Amino acid sequence: MHPSQMVLDTNSSPPTFVLVGIPGLESVHPWLGIPFCFMYIVALFGNGALLFAIRFDRTLHNPMFYFLGMLGVIDVVMATTTVPKMLDIFWSGSPKIGLNVCFAQMFFIHSVTAMESGVLLAMAFDRYVAISHPLRYETILTPPRVAQVGLAILTRGILFMVPLSGMVSRLPYCASKRIPHSYCEHMAVVKLACADSATSRVYIMVGSTLIVGSDMAFIAISYGLVLRAVKKLSEKTERLKAFSTCSSHVCVMLLYYLPGMASIYIQGFPHGTPPHVQVLLADLYLSLPPMLNPIIYSIRMKQVRRALCRVFPLVEGLVG
């Protein structure tokens, strides 16, 4: 067949891709859907409860919890962008996804992951200001300034994806429309292009490394300064409180960055990694943190537990 006959014709019937799911594990797809469905439900209820508490409990109306609220919104968007379609593949056997829908899913996935990294950096800076400059905390992180930080995080995530979306959407896609993945992951999609996709692959690798690398570097600096300030606190209870708050942040950051970076580089440089391992790691990277983040903060932070008990009296026995 001539190459020109293999390119998807966007002027005829709407073109579609076919999401394989988890390659090699098709026979156990129905069983794999159960834990992913559970994680999604817990993520929706956990982050929803946290956002509700932040909205209606005035004790949580401060910058730290505003950033935590941003993280909750991002987690819900991240999980909702991927898991419902994933469950559709696992349980309903509906692997088709429209070309434009696929590109939209890709846009949301990569932009919200960049936004989450930005929020984690903002939370690290928040803890630095709160512990190192407690008397100036409310004057430095005013509500308008927190809103500006949130807007900057949103803008960075969108601007990061705009060039990539243009590159990917302009590529011609061949007759082979099977994506060996559970969602429209960039590397898996561009491998189907008839033309050279090296530019977009380099862009996503370099861009992700710069964003995550710079964020992690500033986070490390922030927590280095935090640890130095904590050691200077005279009261043992103050030190324990500071360590407790920071430890929950560190747990969430490790939960996000470690599997995230592993997933990015395994997709870019497989080096013999089995396809089902690559896809499972990528699936867990987008579904596990949204479930665990609100649980970690609810367990580690007394303010959150107390707010949940006040806003949701029925959960007092569960989180108290």
Side-chain angles (χ1 to χ4, degrees), residues 35-62:
F36 281 103
C37 180
F38 173 77
M39 286 188 284
Y40 182 56
I41 292 171
V42 174
L44 290 182
F45 278 95
N47 286 289
L50 192 59
L51 290 169
F52 196 83
I54 293 171
R55 170 64 179 83
F56 291 102
D57 193 295
R58 299 189 66 84
T59 64
L60 302 186
H61 289 185
N62 65 60

PDB file of all heavy atoms in Angstrom, residues 35-62:
ATOM      1  N   PRO A  35      -9.334  -2.756  41.222  1.00  0.00           N
ATOM      2  CA  PRO A  35      -8.528  -1.833  42.041  1.00  0.00           C
ATOM      3  C   PRO A  35      -8.497  -0.408  41.489  1.00  0.00           C
ATOM      4  O   PRO A  35      -8.486   0.552  42.260  1.00  0.00           O
ATOM      5  CB  PRO A  35      -7.129  -2.461  42.041  1.00  0.00           C
ATOM      6  CG  PRO A  35      -7.119  -3.382  40.870  1.00  0.00           C
ATOM      7  CD  PRO A  35      -8.511  -3.881  40.727  1.00  0.00           C
ATOM      8  N   PHE A  36      -8.507  -0.269  40.157  1.00  0.00           N
ATOM      9  CA  PHE A  36      -8.492   1.085  39.596  1.00  0.00           C
ATOM     10  C   PHE A  36      -9.811   1.806  39.870  1.00  0.00           C
ATOM     11  O   PHE A  36      -9.820   3.015  40.133  1.00  0.00           O
ATOM     12  CB  PHE A  36      -8.200   1.036  38.098  1.00  0.00           C
ATOM     13  CG  PHE A  36      -6.753   0.845  37.774  1.00  0.00           C
ATOM     14  CD1 PHE A  36      -6.275  -0.396  37.372  1.00  0.00           C
ATOM     15  CD2 PHE A  36      -5.854   1.888  37.888  1.00  0.00           C
ATOM     16  CE1 PHE A  36      -4.934  -0.582  37.089  1.00  0.00           C
ATOM     17  CE2 PHE A  36      -4.508   1.724  37.608  1.00  0.00           C
ATOM     18  CZ  PHE A  36      -4.045   0.475  37.205  1.00  0.00           C
ATOM     19  N   CYS A  37     -10.909   1.075  39.830  1.00  0.00           N
ATOM     20  CA  CYS A  37     -12.201   1.673  40.170  1.00  0.00           C
ATOM     21  C   CYS A  37     -12.223   2.086  41.640  1.00  0.00           C
ATOM     22  O   CYS A  37     -12.700   3.172  41.985  1.00  0.00           O
ATOM     23  CB  CYS A  37     -13.330   0.675  39.881  1.00  0.00           C
ATOM     24  SG  CYS A  37     -14.980   1.303  40.248  1.00  0.00           S
ATOM     25  N   PHE A  38     -11.693   1.221  42.502  1.00  0.00           N
ATOM     26  CA  PHE A  38     -11.631   1.535  43.939  1.00  0.00           C
ATOM     27  C   PHE A  38     -10.800   2.789  44.180  1.00  0.00           C
ATOM     28  O   PHE A  38     -11.204   3.688  44.927  1.00  0.00           O
ATOM     29  CB  PHE A  38     -11.032   0.348  44.701  1.00  0.00           C
ATOM     30  CG  PHE A  38     -10.780   0.623  46.155  1.00  0.00           C
ATOM     31  CD1 PHE A  38     -11.825   0.617  47.067  1.00  0.00           C
ATOM     32  CD2 PHE A  38      -9.497   0.899  46.606  1.00  0.00           C
ATOM     33  CE1 PHE A  38     -11.592   0.887  48.410  1.00  0.00           C
ATOM     34  CE2 PHE A  38      -9.255   1.170  47.945  1.00  0.00           C
ATOM     35  CZ  PHE A  38     -10.314   1.161  48.848  1.00  0.00           C
ATOM     36  N   MET A  39      -9.628   2.861  43.529  1.00  0.00           N
ATOM     37  CA  MET A  39      -8.760   4.037  43.706  1.00  0.00           C
ATOM     38  C   MET A  39      -9.455   5.305  43.229  1.00  0.00           C
ATOM     39  O   MET A  39      -9.323   6.368  43.863  1.00  0.00           O
ATOM     40  CB  MET A  39      -7.443   3.828  42.959  1.00  0.00           C
ATOM     41  CG  MET A  39      -6.497   2.848  43.615  1.00  0.00           C
ATOM     42  SD  MET A  39      -4.852   2.777  42.844  1.00  0.00           S
ATOM     43  CE  MET A  39      -5.207   1.825  41.369  1.00  0.00           C
ATOM     44  N   TYR A  40     -10.196   5.200  42.131  1.00  0.00           N
ATOM     45  CA  TYR A  40     -10.883   6.374  41.587  1.00  0.00           C
ATOM     46  C   TYR A  40     -11.987   6.855  42.531  1.00  0.00           C
ATOM     47  O   TYR A  40     -12.112   8.065  42.786  1.00  0.00           O
ATOM     48  CB  TYR A  40     -11.467   6.035  40.218  1.00  0.00           C
ATOM     49  CG  TYR A  40     -12.157   7.187  39.541  1.00  0.00           C
ATOM     50  CD1 TYR A  40     -11.492   8.385  39.311  1.00  0.00           C
ATOM     51  CD2 TYR A  40     -13.480   7.083  39.116  1.00  0.00           C
ATOM     52  CE1 TYR A  40     -12.118   9.452  38.673  1.00  0.00           C
ATOM     53  CE2 TYR A  40     -14.112   8.142  38.477  1.00  0.00           C
ATOM     54  CZ  TYR A  40     -13.428   9.315  38.264  1.00  0.00           C
ATOM     55  OH  TYR A  40     -14.057  10.372  37.638  1.00  0.00           O
ATOM     56  N   ILE A  41     -12.767   5.931  43.070  1.00  0.00           N
ATOM     57  CA  ILE A  41     -13.850   6.297  43.994  1.00  0.00           C
ATOM     58  C   ILE A  41     -13.277   6.948  45.244  1.00  0.00           C
ATOM     59  O   ILE A  41     -13.772   7.985  45.707  1.00  0.00           O
ATOM     60  CB  ILE A  41     -14.696   5.058  44.353  1.00  0.00           C
ATOM     61  CG1 ILE A  41     -15.479   4.578  43.126  1.00  0.00           C
ATOM     62  CG2 ILE A  41     -15.658   5.367  45.497  1.00  0.00           C
ATOM     63  CD1 ILE A  41     -16.181   3.250  43.322  1.00  0.00           C
ATOM     64  N   VAL A  42     -12.220   6.343  45.797  1.00  0.00           N
ATOM     65  CA  VAL A  42     -11.588   6.915  46.996  1.00  0.00           C
ATOM     66  C   VAL A  42     -11.014   8.296  46.686  1.00  0.00           C
ATOM     67  O   VAL A  42     -11.113   9.218  47.503  1.00  0.00           O
ATOM     68  CB  VAL A  42     -10.490   5.976  47.533  1.00  0.00           C
ATOM     69  CG1 VAL A  42      -9.728   6.635  48.690  1.00  0.00           C
ATOM     70  CG2 VAL A  42     -11.098   4.655  47.998  1.00  0.00           C
ATOM     71  N   ALA A  43     -10.415   8.454  45.491  1.00  0.00           N
ATOM     72  CA  ALA A  43      -9.856   9.757  45.110  1.00  0.00           C
ATOM     73  C   ALA A  43     -10.942  10.814  45.031  1.00  0.00           C
ATOM     74  O   ALA A  43     -10.763  11.948  45.508  1.00  0.00           O
ATOM     75  CB  ALA A  43      -9.132   9.641  43.765  1.00  0.00           C
ATOM     76  N   LEU A  44     -12.098  10.474  44.433  1.00  0.00           N
ATOM     77  CA  LEU A  44     -13.194  11.436  44.320  1.00  0.00           C
ATOM     78  C   LEU A  44     -13.738  11.814  45.694  1.00  0.00           C
ATOM     79  O   LEU A  44     -13.913  13.001  46.000  1.00  0.00           O
ATOM     80  CB  LEU A  44     -14.311  10.861  43.450  1.00  0.00           C
ATOM     81  CG  LEU A  44     -14.024  10.706  41.950  1.00  0.00           C
ATOM     82  CD1 LEU A  44     -15.262  10.161  41.240  1.00  0.00           C
ATOM     83  CD2 LEU A  44     -13.608  12.030  41.323  1.00  0.00           C
ATOM     84  N   PHE A  45     -14.018  10.817  46.525  1.00  0.00           N
ATOM     85  CA  PHE A  45     -14.582  11.099  47.844  1.00  0.00           C
ATOM     86  C   PHE A  45     -13.569  11.762  48.760  1.00  0.00           C
ATOM     87  O   PHE A  45     -13.913  12.701  49.501  1.00  0.00           O
ATOM     88  CB  PHE A  45     -15.103   9.804  48.477  1.00  0.00           C
ATOM     89  CG  PHE A  45     -16.476   9.413  48.011  1.00  0.00           C
ATOM     90  CD1 PHE A  45     -16.639   8.519  46.979  1.00  0.00           C
ATOM     91  CD2 PHE A  45     -17.608   9.951  48.604  1.00  0.00           C
ATOM     92  CE1 PHE A  45     -17.900   8.161  46.523  1.00  0.00           C
ATOM     93  CE2 PHE A  45     -18.877   9.607  48.164  1.00  0.00           C
ATOM     94  CZ  PHE A  45     -19.028   8.713  47.123  1.00  0.00           C
ATOM     95  N   GLY A  46     -12.318  11.291  48.722  1.00  0.00           N
ATOM     96  CA  GLY A  46     -11.292  11.864  49.595  1.00  0.00           C
ATOM     97  C   GLY A  46     -10.998  13.311  49.270  1.00  0.00           C
ATOM     98  O   GLY A  46     -11.012  14.178  50.149  1.00  0.00           O
ATOM     99  N   ASN A  47     -10.744  13.591  47.998  1.00  0.00           N
ATOM    100  CA  ASN A  47     -10.448  14.972  47.603  1.00  0.00           C
ATOM    101  C   ASN A  47     -11.687  15.851  47.702  1.00  0.00           C
ATOM    102  O   ASN A  47     -11.589  17.032  48.049  1.00  0.00           O
ATOM    103  CB  ASN A  47      -9.895  15.000  46.177  1.00  0.00           C
ATOM    104  CG  ASN A  47      -8.470  14.493  46.093  1.00  0.00           C
ATOM    105  OD1 ASN A  47      -7.536  15.149  46.546  1.00  0.00           O
ATOM    106  ND2 ASN A  47      -8.290  13.311  45.509  1.00  0.00           N
ATOM    107  N   GLY A  48     -12.862  15.276  47.404  1.00  0.00           N
ATOM    108  CA  GLY A  48     -14.099  16.043  47.550  1.00  0.00           C
ATOM    109  C   GLY A  48     -14.336  16.453  48.992  1.00  0.00           C
ATOM    110  O   GLY A  48     -14.703  17.607  49.273  1.00  0.00           O
ATOM    111  N   ALA A  49     -14.132  15.511  49.919  1.00  0.00           N
ATOM    112  CA  ALA A  49     -14.305  15.827  51.341  1.00  0.00           C
ATOM    113  C   ALA A  49     -13.304  16.874  51.796  1.00  0.00           C
ATOM    114  O   ALA A  49     -13.639  17.806  52.554  1.00  0.00           O
ATOM    115  CB  ALA A  49     -14.149  14.551  52.172  1.00  0.00           C
ATOM    116  N   LEU A  50     -12.059  16.752  51.314  1.00  0.00           N
ATOM    117  CA  LEU A  50     -11.026  17.713  51.688  1.00  0.00           C
ATOM    118  C   LEU A  50     -11.360  19.111  51.166  1.00  0.00           C
ATOM    119  O   LEU A  50     -11.251  20.112  51.895  1.00  0.00           O
ATOM    120  CB  LEU A  50      -9.682  17.240  51.131  1.00  0.00           C
ATOM    121  CG  LEU A  50      -8.425  17.940  51.641  1.00  0.00           C
ATOM    122  CD1 LEU A  50      -8.303  17.818  53.144  1.00  0.00           C
ATOM    123  CD2 LEU A  50      -7.200  17.337  50.960  1.00  0.00           C
ATOM    124  N   LEU A  51     -11.796  19.207  49.924  1.00  0.00           N
ATOM    125  CA  LEU A  51     -12.169  20.497  49.346  1.00  0.00           C
ATOM    126  C   LEU A  51     -13.374  21.092  50.062  1.00  0.00           C
ATOM    127  O   LEU A  51     -13.444  22.311  50.297  1.00  0.00           O
ATOM    128  CB  LEU A  51     -12.474  20.329  47.851  1.00  0.00           C
ATOM    129  CG  LEU A  51     -11.261  20.035  46.961  1.00  0.00           C
ATOM    130  CD1 LEU A  51     -11.700  19.613  45.563  1.00  0.00           C
ATOM    131  CD2 LEU A  51     -10.344  21.247  46.880  1.00  0.00           C
ATOM    132  N   PHE A  52     -14.334  20.239  50.425  1.00  0.00           N
ATOM    133  CA  PHE A  52     -15.519  20.706  51.146  1.00  0.00           C
ATOM    134  C   PHE A  52     -15.124  21.269  52.507  1.00  0.00           C
ATOM    135  O   PHE A  52     -15.607  22.330  52.924  1.00  0.00           O
ATOM    136  CB  PHE A  52     -16.498  19.541  51.316  1.00  0.00           C
ATOM    137  CG  PHE A  52     -17.886  19.967  51.683  1.00  0.00           C
ATOM    138  CD1 PHE A  52     -18.793  20.378  50.709  1.00  0.00           C
ATOM    139  CD2 PHE A  52     -18.295  19.961  53.009  1.00  0.00           C
ATOM    140  CE1 PHE A  52     -20.074  20.775  51.049  1.00  0.00           C
ATOM    141  CE2 PHE A  52     -19.578  20.363  53.362  1.00  0.00           C
ATOM    142  CZ  PHE A  52     -20.468  20.772  52.372  1.00  0.00           C
ATOM    143  N   ALA A  53     -14.210  20.567  53.198  1.00  0.00           N
ATOM    144  CA  ALA A  53     -13.758  21.033  54.508  1.00  0.00           C
ATOM    145  C   ALA A  53     -13.010  22.354  54.394  1.00  0.00           C
ATOM    146  O   ALA A  53     -13.207  23.274  55.200  1.00  0.00           O
ATOM    147  CB  ALA A  53     -12.873  19.972  55.163  1.00  0.00           C
ATOM    148  N   ILE A  54     -12.144  22.479  53.379  1.00  0.00           N
ATOM    149  CA  ILE A  54     -11.388  23.725  53.196  1.00  0.00           C
ATOM    150  C   ILE A  54     -12.330  24.879  52.879  1.00  0.00           C
ATOM    151  O   ILE A  54     -12.136  26.008  53.347  1.00  0.00           O
ATOM    152  CB  ILE A  54     -10.341  23.550  52.077  1.00  0.00           C
ATOM    153  CG1 ILE A  54      -9.261  22.566  52.516  1.00  0.00           C
ATOM    154  CG2 ILE A  54      -9.705  24.895  51.705  1.00  0.00           C
ATOM    155  CD1 ILE A  54      -8.300  22.156  51.404  1.00  0.00           C
ATOM    156  N   ARG A  55     -13.381  24.588  52.134  1.00  0.00           N
ATOM    157  CA  ARG A  55     -14.335  25.644  51.750  1.00  0.00           C
ATOM    158  C   ARG A  55     -15.163  26.123  52.933  1.00  0.00           C
ATOM    159  O   ARG A  55     -15.396  27.333  53.100  1.00  0.00           O
ATOM    160  CB  ARG A  55     -15.254  25.121  50.639  1.00  0.00           C
ATOM    161  CG  ARG A  55     -16.436  26.021  50.305  1.00  0.00           C
ATOM    162  CD  ARG A  55     -15.991  27.360  49.741  1.00  0.00           C
ATOM    163  NE  ARG A  55     -17.116  28.210  49.408  1.00  0.00           N
ATOM    164  CZ  ARG A  55     -17.768  28.985  50.273  1.00  0.00           C
ATOM    165  NH1 ARG A  55     -17.365  29.035  51.543  1.00  0.00           N
ATOM    166  NH2 ARG A  55     -18.782  29.726  49.884  1.00  0.00           N
ATOM    167  N   PHE A  56     -15.594  25.216  53.802  1.00  0.00           N
ATOM    168  CA  PHE A  56     -16.576  25.586  54.818  1.00  0.00           C
ATOM    169  C   PHE A  56     -16.030  25.668  56.234  1.00  0.00           C
ATOM    170  O   PHE A  56     -16.744  26.117  57.132  1.00  0.00           O
ATOM    171  CB  PHE A  56     -17.753  24.594  54.787  1.00  0.00           C
ATOM    172  CG  PHE A  56     -18.598  24.712  53.545  1.00  0.00           C
ATOM    173  CD1 PHE A  56     -18.470  23.801  52.515  1.00  0.00           C
ATOM    174  CD2 PHE A  56     -19.490  25.766  53.397  1.00  0.00           C
ATOM    175  CE1 PHE A  56     -19.233  23.918  51.364  1.00  0.00           C
ATOM    176  CE2 PHE A  56     -20.259  25.885  52.253  1.00  0.00           C
ATOM    177  CZ  PHE A  56     -20.124  24.955  51.228  1.00  0.00           C
ATOM    178  N   ASP A  57     -14.795  25.248  56.472  1.00  0.00           N
ATOM    179  CA  ASP A  57     -14.221  25.379  57.815  1.00  0.00           C
ATOM    180  C   ASP A  57     -13.229  26.533  57.815  1.00  0.00           C
ATOM    181  O   ASP A  57     -12.196  26.488  57.146  1.00  0.00           O
ATOM    182  CB  ASP A  57     -13.526  24.084  58.240  1.00  0.00           C
ATOM    183  CG  ASP A  57     -13.201  24.068  59.721  1.00  0.00           C
ATOM    184  OD1 ASP A  57     -12.369  24.891  60.158  1.00  0.00           O
ATOM    185  OD2 ASP A  57     -13.786  23.240  60.450  1.00  0.00           O
ATOM    186  N   ARG A  58     -13.523  27.567  58.580  1.00  0.00           N
ATOM    187  CA  ARG A  58     -12.718  28.786  58.554  1.00  0.00           C
ATOM    188  C   ARG A  58     -11.320  28.577  59.116  1.00  0.00           C
ATOM    189  O   ARG A  58     -10.413  29.356  58.819  1.00  0.00           O
ATOM    190  CB  ARG A  58     -13.435  29.908  59.324  1.00  0.00           C
ATOM    191  CG  ARG A  58     -14.795  30.272  58.741  1.00  0.00           C
ATOM    192  CD  ARG A  58     -15.349  31.525  59.404  1.00  0.00           C
ATOM    193  NE  ARG A  58     -14.545  32.689  59.085  1.00  0.00           N
ATOM    194  CZ  ARG A  58     -14.679  33.420  57.981  1.00  0.00           C
ATOM    195  NH1 ARG A  58     -15.574  33.077  57.070  1.00  0.00           N
ATOM    196  NH2 ARG A  58     -13.919  34.469  57.776  1.00  0.00           N
ATOM    197  N   THR A  59     -11.118  27.536  59.943  1.00  0.00           N
ATOM    198  CA  THR A  59      -9.776  27.285  60.477  1.00  0.00           C
ATOM    199  C   THR A  59      -8.801  26.849  59.388  1.00  0.00           C
ATOM    200  O   THR A  59      -7.583  26.878  59.594  1.00  0.00           O
ATOM    201  CB  THR A  59      -9.820  26.220  61.576  1.00  0.00           C
ATOM    202  OG1 THR A  59     -10.255  24.970  61.017  1.00  0.00           O
ATOM    203  CG2 THR A  59     -10.759  26.620  62.702  1.00  0.00           C
ATOM    204  N   LEU A  60      -9.337  26.431  58.243  1.00  0.00           N
ATOM    205  CA  LEU A  60      -8.478  26.007  57.123  1.00  0.00           C
ATOM    206  C   LEU A  60      -8.326  27.100  56.071  1.00  0.00           C
ATOM    207  O   LEU A  60      -7.823  26.833  54.979  1.00  0.00           O
ATOM    208  CB  LEU A  60      -9.052  24.742  56.468  1.00  0.00           C
ATOM    209  CG  LEU A  60      -9.229  23.521  57.368  1.00  0.00           C
ATOM    210  CD1 LEU A  60      -9.670  22.322  56.547  1.00  0.00           C
ATOM    211  CD2 LEU A  60      -7.955  23.197  58.141  1.00  0.00           C
ATOM    212  N   HIS A  61      -8.767  28.315  56.406  1.00  0.00           N
ATOM    213  CA  HIS A  61      -8.650  29.410  55.446  1.00  0.00           C
ATOM    214  C   HIS A  61      -7.299  30.101  55.600  1.00  0.00           C
ATOM    215  O   HIS A  61      -7.184  31.226  56.103  1.00  0.00           O
ATOM    216  CB  HIS A  61      -9.796  30.408  55.648  1.00  0.00           C
ATOM    217  CG  HIS A  61     -11.117  29.875  55.212  1.00  0.00           C
ATOM    218  ND1 HIS A  61     -12.283  30.621  55.212  1.00  0.00           N
ATOM    219  CD2 HIS A  61     -11.480  28.650  54.753  1.00  0.00           C
ATOM    220  CE1 HIS A  61     -13.291  29.880  54.784  1.00  0.00           C
ATOM    221  NE2 HIS A  61     -12.824  28.691  54.504  1.00  0.00           N
ATOM    222  N   ASN A  62      -6.253  29.397  55.182  1.00  0.00           N
ATOM    223  CA  ASN A  62      -4.918  29.983  55.155  1.00  0.00           C
ATOM    224  C   ASN A  62      -4.166  29.410  53.961  1.00  0.00           C
ATOM    225  O   ASN A  62      -4.598  28.429  53.349  1.00  0.00           O
ATOM    226  CB  ASN A  62      -4.173  29.736  56.481  1.00  0.00           C
ATOM    227  CG  ASN A  62      -3.906  28.268  56.733  1.00  0.00           C
ATOM    228  OD1 ASN A  62      -3.236  27.601  55.950  1.00  0.00           O
ATOM    229  ND2 ASN A  62      -4.430  27.742  57.836  1.00  0.00           N
TER     230      ASN A  62
END
